Amino acid sequence: MAKTKELSKDTRNKIVDLHQVGKTESAIGKQLGLKKSTVGAIIRKWKTYKTTDNLPRSGAPRKISPRGVKMITRTVSKNPRTTRGDLVNDLQRAGTKVTKPTISNTLRRQGLKSCSARRVPLLKPVHVQARLKFAREHLDDPDEDWENVIWSDETKIELFGKNSTRRVWRTKNAELHPKNTIPTVKHGGGNIMLWGCFSAKGPGRLIRVKERMNGAMYREILSENLLPSARALKMKRGWVFQHDNDPKHTARATKEWLRKKHFKVREWPSQSPDLNPIENLWRELKVRVAQRQPQNITALEEICMEEWAKIPATVCENLVKTYRNV
């Protein structure tokens, strides 16, 4: 049976007030949209205890004392990687025997729950300071400035990599039916490297990089795809180009090429892939590609191009609009 919603204190007091002026339980129930039995229970409680407040409820006492709660809360605050087994042992040494579920429930009541640790770039103090400097300098930039940026990056997509869909609805003993499985092969079954760009106005060009990329190849990619993307996206005059600090991007020849082409380049803190909203767009693309389940490299490339072109401009706009919230 589902747990019913508890009446507010104002509603309980109103029931008592209406009862005192002579209204019947049925009339009060109709007026307030409540069951007669609910109204009667509130009135009986008021007659017995002269209050509508919640009374102390019976139940088994907590196994972990307040002192024990403080101890395990302090332990996980100092070391979030502490396991439930470690905490069980700590409490047992202190004279309290509990189970792992009790530990979970106790910590949950303290606002703590077990979660998978997020993977983030390994940052040195110099990287942290550079990212902080970048954030402070651009915190108050108007939305128009971010909308006038073309974001770019490279990514690798595996043929049979980590598909986004990992759960299926199936009947008992149907776990090996092809519809309910994710095909895997050693080393991912091959992959393709892609270069792409986008702005708040939509996705730009996406191309496959078929050879190992070096500085010369990167400059050729920019030469053939960056300016056409800016034109297709109808970027405003003075638009800004963003790429990370990969050695191919920061090579002297590449910087000189960008300078001669009069491209404005956004300065970028090292070790900051998570600051680039195109990472979220790659995620969108990989989810779409995984759902179509390409079976060979040729199909993988074709599907990548098709799905990239289908990504709505609204998705790109929202990624840039919410950029400062990252």
Side-chain angles (χ1 to χ4, degrees), residues 198-227:
F198 90 103
S199 79
K201 297 183 179 180
R205 286 195 176 183
L206 180 74
I207 65 159
R208 179 183 173 185
V209 182
K210 295 187 176 181
E211 301 174 18
R212 187 177 179 84
M213 188 189 291
N214 55 28
M217 183 185 296
Y218 180 64
R219 291 189 291 276
E220 184 178 344
I221 288 172
L222 296 184
S223 178
E224 295 177 358
N225 297 280
L226 182 54
L227 199 54

Side-chain angles (χ1 to χ4, degrees), residues 116 119 158 160-170 175 179-184 283 286-287 290-291 293:
S116 297
R119 294 183 178 273
E158 293 183 343
F160 296 114
K162 296 179 179 178
N163 288 352
S164 59
T165 305
R166 292 182 170 273
R167 305 187 74 86
V168 295
W169 293 99
R170 63 171 177 81
E175 63 272 15
K179 292 191 300 184
N180 300 328
T181 62
I182 296 176
T184 61
R283 167 68 178 167
K286 290 174 182 178
V287 168
Q291 289 172 346
Q293 299 183 340

Side-chain angles (χ1 to χ4, degrees), residues 73-97:
T73 303
R74 186 167 55 247
T75 299
V76 297
S77 297
K78 288 181 179 178
N79 182 11
R81 289 181 173 80
T82 304
T83 66
R84 292 186 302 172
D86 294 335
L87 297 174
V88 167
N89 293 334
D90 289 347
L91 286 171
Q92 193 164 0
R93 282 192 291 270
T96 303
K97 188 175 181 180

Side-chain angles (χ1 to χ4, degrees), residues 3-53:
K3 186 177 179 181
T4 57
K5 186 177 180 182
E6 189 175 75
L7 296 180
S8 68
K9 185 171 176 59
D10 286 344
T11 301
R12 284 175 277 168
N13 289 339
K14 190 175 290 185
I15 290 172
V16 173
D17 292 342
L18 292 172
H19 169 71
Q20 287 181 313
V21 297
K23 289 208 171 188
T24 65
E25 293 177 2
S26 297
I28 296 172
K30 287 180 181 179
Q31 181 174 337
L32 300 180
L34 301 172
K35 291 181 180 179
K36 179 182 175 182
S37 58
T38 302
V39 173
I42 297 295
I43 293 172
R44 287 192 298 275
K45 178 180 178 181
W46 176 78
K47 286 181 177 179
T48 303
Y49 300 104
K50 299 303 178 183
T51 182
T52 60
D53 292 341

